[in-house]
Amino acid sequence: MHIAYIVVTVITVAANAGIAIADFAKAKFVLANSAEVNLPQTWLPMLATMKAAGAVGLAVGLLGVRVIGVAAAIGLVLFFVGAMAAHVRARVFRNIAFPGAYLAMAIASLGLAITQ
């Protein structure tokens, strides 16, 4: 189970760090998705910071500070529940799999972190 925790959490860290960088860079696909779900562009830096903080927190958890890792995983779960809600509210279902995948990674990381 420890190997699964490491693998899943490293993937979750990489995915969230990557999307945070895309958010900070205001990548075209990020801007298009934000506009589609009626998210103001001014929110992107704050949301990117949250994703990056979640990635850093998960990494700290992997380094042995379990409570930070668990807190980061909880934060990411809540974040991506909000992202899913934004997609549902805006009735944007064609790309809802993306926040769904991030939510699944966060849930898996949380579940594995708790069992460590």
mmCIF file of all heavy atoms in Angstrom, residues 1 4-6 8-9 58 61-62 66-71 73-74 106-116:
data_model
loop_
_atom_site.group_PDB
_atom_site.id
_atom_site.type_symbol
_atom_site.label_atom_id
_atom_site.label_comp_id
_atom_site.label_asym_id
_atom_site.label_seq_id
_atom_site.Cartn_x
_atom_site.Cartn_y
_atom_site.Cartn_z
ATOM 1 N N MET A 1 0.820 -1.188 0.000
ATOM 2 C CA MET A 1 0.000 0.000 0.000
ATOM 3 C C MET A 1 0.866 1.254 0.000
ATOM 4 O O MET A 1 0.476 2.262 -0.564
ATOM 5 C CB MET A 1 -0.925 -0.030 1.216
ATOM 6 C CG MET A 1 -1.982 1.020 1.179
ATOM 7 S SD MET A 1 -3.354 0.567 0.141
ATOM 8 C CE MET A 1 -4.675 0.837 1.265
ATOM 9 N N ALA A 4 1.735 2.256 -3.523
ATOM 10 C CA ALA A 4 0.577 2.879 -4.175
ATOM 11 C C ALA A 4 0.431 4.324 -3.723
ATOM 12 O O ALA A 4 0.161 5.218 -4.544
ATOM 13 C CB ALA A 4 -0.687 2.093 -3.867
ATOM 14 N N TYR A 5 0.601 4.560 -2.424
ATOM 15 C CA TYR A 5 0.522 5.927 -1.889
ATOM 16 C C TYR A 5 1.542 6.829 -2.569
ATOM 17 O O TYR A 5 1.214 7.933 -3.014
ATOM 18 C CB TYR A 5 0.743 5.904 -0.370
ATOM 19 C CG TYR A 5 1.036 7.242 0.253
ATOM 20 C CD1 TYR A 5 0.102 8.263 0.219
ATOM 21 C CD2 TYR A 5 2.253 7.478 0.893
ATOM 22 C CE1 TYR A 5 0.373 9.500 0.794
ATOM 23 C CE2 TYR A 5 2.529 8.704 1.471
ATOM 24 C CZ TYR A 5 1.587 9.715 1.417
ATOM 25 O OH TYR A 5 1.853 10.928 1.991
ATOM 26 N N ILE A 6 2.766 6.353 -2.689
ATOM 27 C CA ILE A 6 3.820 7.154 -3.306
ATOM 28 C C ILE A 6 3.512 7.428 -4.774
ATOM 29 O O ILE A 6 3.567 8.577 -5.229
ATOM 30 C CB ILE A 6 5.195 6.475 -3.138
ATOM 31 C CG1 ILE A 6 5.598 6.474 -1.662
ATOM 32 C CG2 ILE A 6 6.260 7.169 -3.991
ATOM 33 C CD1 ILE A 6 6.816 5.617 -1.351
ATOM 34 N N VAL A 8 0.622 7.219 -6.554
ATOM 35 C CA VAL A 8 -0.581 8.036 -6.774
ATOM 36 C C VAL A 8 -0.332 9.478 -6.363
ATOM 37 O O VAL A 8 -0.714 10.420 -7.069
ATOM 38 C CB VAL A 8 -1.794 7.440 -6.016
ATOM 39 C CG1 VAL A 8 -2.964 8.406 -5.984
ATOM 40 C CG2 VAL A 8 -2.197 6.120 -6.643
ATOM 41 N N THR A 9 0.341 9.679 -5.257
ATOM 42 C CA THR A 9 0.576 11.037 -4.774
ATOM 43 C C THR A 9 1.562 11.776 -5.677
ATOM 44 O O THR A 9 1.363 12.965 -5.959
ATOM 45 C CB THR A 9 1.047 11.020 -3.310
ATOM 46 O OG1 THR A 9 0.056 10.327 -2.534
ATOM 47 C CG2 THR A 9 1.208 12.418 -2.761
ATOM 48 N N LEU A 58 1.086 18.071 -0.706
ATOM 49 C CA LEU A 58 1.166 16.622 -0.918
ATOM 50 C C LEU A 58 2.623 16.157 -0.907
ATOM 51 O O LEU A 58 2.936 15.100 -0.346
ATOM 52 C CB LEU A 58 0.513 16.236 -2.243
ATOM 53 C CG LEU A 58 -1.009 16.298 -2.320
ATOM 54 C CD1 LEU A 58 -1.466 15.959 -3.733
ATOM 55 C CD2 LEU A 58 -1.664 15.377 -1.310
ATOM 56 N N GLY A 61 3.841 15.991 2.528
ATOM 57 C CA GLY A 61 3.306 14.770 3.136
ATOM 58 C C GLY A 61 4.125 13.550 2.762
ATOM 59 O O GLY A 61 4.387 12.689 3.599
ATOM 60 N N LEU A 62 4.554 13.485 1.512
ATOM 61 C CA LEU A 62 5.409 12.369 1.084
ATOM 62 C C LEU A 62 6.753 12.372 1.806
ATOM 63 O O LEU A 62 7.347 11.323 2.019
ATOM 64 C CB LEU A 62 5.672 12.451 -0.422
ATOM 65 C CG LEU A 62 4.581 11.942 -1.341
ATOM 66 C CD1 LEU A 62 4.942 12.243 -2.794
ATOM 67 C CD2 LEU A 62 4.358 10.460 -1.150
ATOM 68 N N ARG A 66 2.938 13.981 7.630
ATOM 69 C CA ARG A 66 1.664 13.373 7.218
ATOM 70 C C ARG A 66 0.480 14.332 7.323
ATOM 71 O O ARG A 66 -0.355 14.392 6.428
ATOM 72 C CB ARG A 66 1.413 12.129 8.069
ATOM 73 C CG ARG A 66 0.189 11.367 7.673
ATOM 74 C CD ARG A 66 0.116 10.042 8.446
ATOM 75 N NE ARG A 66 -1.133 9.380 8.151
ATOM 76 C CZ ARG A 66 -2.191 9.424 8.945
ATOM 77 N NH1 ARG A 66 -2.148 10.049 10.084
ATOM 78 N NH2 ARG A 66 -3.288 8.791 8.592
ATOM 79 N N VAL A 67 0.404 15.095 8.390
ATOM 80 C CA VAL A 67 -0.743 15.977 8.596
ATOM 81 C C VAL A 67 -0.840 17.033 7.486
ATOM 82 O O VAL A 67 -1.938 17.382 7.055
ATOM 83 C CB VAL A 67 -0.719 16.619 10.010
ATOM 84 C CG1 VAL A 67 0.426 17.609 10.156
ATOM 85 C CG2 VAL A 67 -2.043 17.271 10.330
ATOM 86 N N ILE A 68 0.282 17.506 6.988
ATOM 87 C CA ILE A 68 0.277 18.486 5.885
ATOM 88 C C ILE A 68 -0.211 17.802 4.603
ATOM 89 O O ILE A 68 -1.005 18.377 3.853
ATOM 90 C CB ILE A 68 1.676 19.101 5.679
ATOM 91 C CG1 ILE A 68 2.125 19.858 6.930
ATOM 92 C CG2 ILE A 68 1.696 20.005 4.452
ATOM 93 C CD1 ILE A 68 1.284 21.063 7.276
ATOM 94 N N GLY A 69 0.243 16.601 4.364
ATOM 95 C CA GLY A 69 -0.203 15.859 3.191
ATOM 96 C C GLY A 69 -1.696 15.596 3.204
ATOM 97 O O GLY A 69 -2.374 15.759 2.185
ATOM 98 N N VAL A 70 -2.207 15.208 4.355
ATOM 99 C CA VAL A 70 -3.650 14.961 4.477
ATOM 100 C C VAL A 70 -4.428 16.257 4.284
ATOM 101 O O VAL A 70 -5.429 16.300 3.564
ATOM 102 C CB VAL A 70 -3.987 14.294 5.833
ATOM 103 C CG1 VAL A 70 -5.485 14.248 6.070
ATOM 104 C CG2 VAL A 70 -3.397 12.884 5.895
ATOM 105 N N ALA A 71 -3.959 17.334 4.903
ATOM 106 C CA ALA A 71 -4.636 18.636 4.763
ATOM 107 C C ALA A 71 -4.625 19.095 3.307
ATOM 108 O O ALA A 71 -5.634 19.603 2.797
ATOM 109 C CB ALA A 71 -3.973 19.674 5.664
ATOM 110 N N ALA A 73 -4.441 17.185 0.640
ATOM 111 C CA ALA A 73 -5.350 16.324 -0.115
ATOM 112 C C ALA A 73 -6.805 16.738 0.111
ATOM 113 O O ALA A 73 -7.588 16.786 -0.837
ATOM 114 C CB ALA A 73 -5.136 14.861 0.272
ATOM 115 N N ILE A 74 -7.153 17.057 1.356
ATOM 116 C CA ILE A 74 -8.513 17.537 1.643
ATOM 117 C C ILE A 74 -8.782 18.819 0.878
ATOM 118 O O ILE A 74 -9.848 18.999 0.277
ATOM 119 C CB ILE A 74 -8.712 17.742 3.164
ATOM 120 C CG1 ILE A 74 -8.723 16.391 3.880
ATOM 121 C CG2 ILE A 74 -9.991 18.523 3.452
ATOM 122 C CD1 ILE A 74 -8.647 16.495 5.400
ATOM 123 N N ALA A 106 -7.150 13.441 -6.368
ATOM 124 C CA ALA A 106 -7.115 14.015 -5.017
ATOM 125 C C ALA A 106 -7.761 13.069 -4.005
ATOM 126 O O ALA A 106 -7.247 12.879 -2.899
ATOM 127 C CB ALA A 106 -7.812 15.377 -5.004
ATOM 128 N N ILE A 107 -8.878 12.463 -4.380
ATOM 129 C CA ILE A 107 -9.549 11.508 -3.485
ATOM 130 C C ILE A 107 -8.650 10.300 -3.229
ATOM 131 O O ILE A 107 -8.523 9.846 -2.080
ATOM 132 C CB ILE A 107 -10.911 11.076 -4.070
ATOM 133 C CG1 ILE A 107 -11.898 12.239 -4.026
ATOM 134 C CG2 ILE A 107 -11.463 9.862 -3.331
ATOM 135 C CD1 ILE A 107 -13.183 11.999 -4.802
ATOM 136 N N ALA A 108 -8.027 9.793 -4.275
ATOM 137 C CA ALA A 108 -7.127 8.646 -4.108
ATOM 138 C C ALA A 108 -5.949 9.006 -3.213
ATOM 139 O O ALA A 108 -5.577 8.234 -2.321
ATOM 140 C CB ALA A 108 -6.635 8.164 -5.469
ATOM 141 N N SER A 109 -5.380 10.182 -3.425
ATOM 142 C CA SER A 109 -4.264 10.624 -2.577
ATOM 143 C C SER A 109 -4.697 10.769 -1.135
ATOM 144 O O SER A 109 -3.966 10.380 -0.226
ATOM 145 C CB SER A 109 -3.709 11.963 -3.088
ATOM 146 O OG SER A 109 -3.107 11.796 -4.357
ATOM 147 N N LEU A 110 -5.884 11.315 -0.922
ATOM 148 C CA LEU A 110 -6.400 11.464 0.437
ATOM 149 C C LEU A 110 -6.598 10.107 1.095
ATOM 150 O O LEU A 110 -6.162 9.879 2.220
ATOM 151 C CB LEU A 110 -7.706 12.264 0.432
ATOM 152 C CG LEU A 110 -8.413 12.398 1.772
ATOM 153 C CD1 LEU A 110 -7.515 13.083 2.809
ATOM 154 C CD2 LEU A 110 -9.732 13.154 1.595
ATOM 155 N N GLY A 111 -7.270 9.211 0.392
ATOM 156 C CA GLY A 111 -7.529 7.891 0.956
ATOM 157 C C GLY A 111 -6.250 7.153 1.308
ATOM 158 O O GLY A 111 -6.135 6.557 2.391
ATOM 159 N N LEU A 112 -5.275 7.236 0.431
ATOM 160 C CA LEU A 112 -4.005 6.550 0.699
ATOM 161 C C LEU A 112 -3.206 7.243 1.792
ATOM 162 O O LEU A 112 -2.540 6.586 2.587
ATOM 163 C CB LEU A 112 -3.196 6.451 -0.602
ATOM 164 C CG LEU A 112 -3.788 5.488 -1.635
ATOM 165 C CD1 LEU A 112 -3.118 5.670 -2.991
ATOM 166 C CD2 LEU A 112 -3.662 4.051 -1.168
ATOM 167 N N ALA A 113 -3.277 8.568 1.851
ATOM 168 C CA ALA A 113 -2.554 9.305 2.912
ATOM 169 C C ALA A 113 -3.129 8.976 4.291
ATOM 170 O O ALA A 113 -2.388 8.831 5.260
ATOM 171 C CB ALA A 113 -2.630 10.805 2.654
ATOM 172 N N ILE A 114 -4.432 8.856 4.356
ATOM 173 C CA ILE A 114 -5.078 8.557 5.635
ATOM 174 C C ILE A 114 -4.698 7.162 6.128
ATOM 175 O O ILE A 114 -4.545 6.948 7.330
ATOM 176 C CB ILE A 114 -6.613 8.711 5.523
ATOM 177 C CG1 ILE A 114 -6.970 10.185 5.381
ATOM 178 C CG2 ILE A 114 -7.327 8.095 6.696
ATOM 179 C CD1 ILE A 114 -8.422 10.442 5.055
ATOM 180 N N THR A 115 -4.528 6.227 5.219
ATOM 181 C CA THR A 115 -4.226 4.859 5.620
ATOM 182 C C THR A 115 -2.750 4.612 5.928
ATOM 183 O O THR A 115 -2.385 3.527 6.350
ATOM 184 C CB THR A 115 -4.670 3.855 4.535
ATOM 185 O OG1 THR A 115 -3.947 4.128 3.330
ATOM 186 C CG2 THR A 115 -6.167 3.951 4.286
ATOM 187 N N GLN A 116 -1.931 5.597 5.714
ATOM 188 C CA GLN A 116 -0.479 5.436 5.978
ATOM 189 C C GLN A 116 -0.182 5.489 7.459
ATOM 190 O O GLN A 116 -0.636 6.199 8.219
ATOM 191 C CB GLN A 116 0.327 6.502 5.243
ATOM 192 C CG GLN A 116 0.306 6.311 3.742
ATOM 193 C CD GLN A 116 0.757 4.937 3.298
ATOM 194 O OE1 GLN A 116 1.860 4.520 3.592
ATOM 195 N NE2 GLN A 116 -0.090 4.227 2.598
#
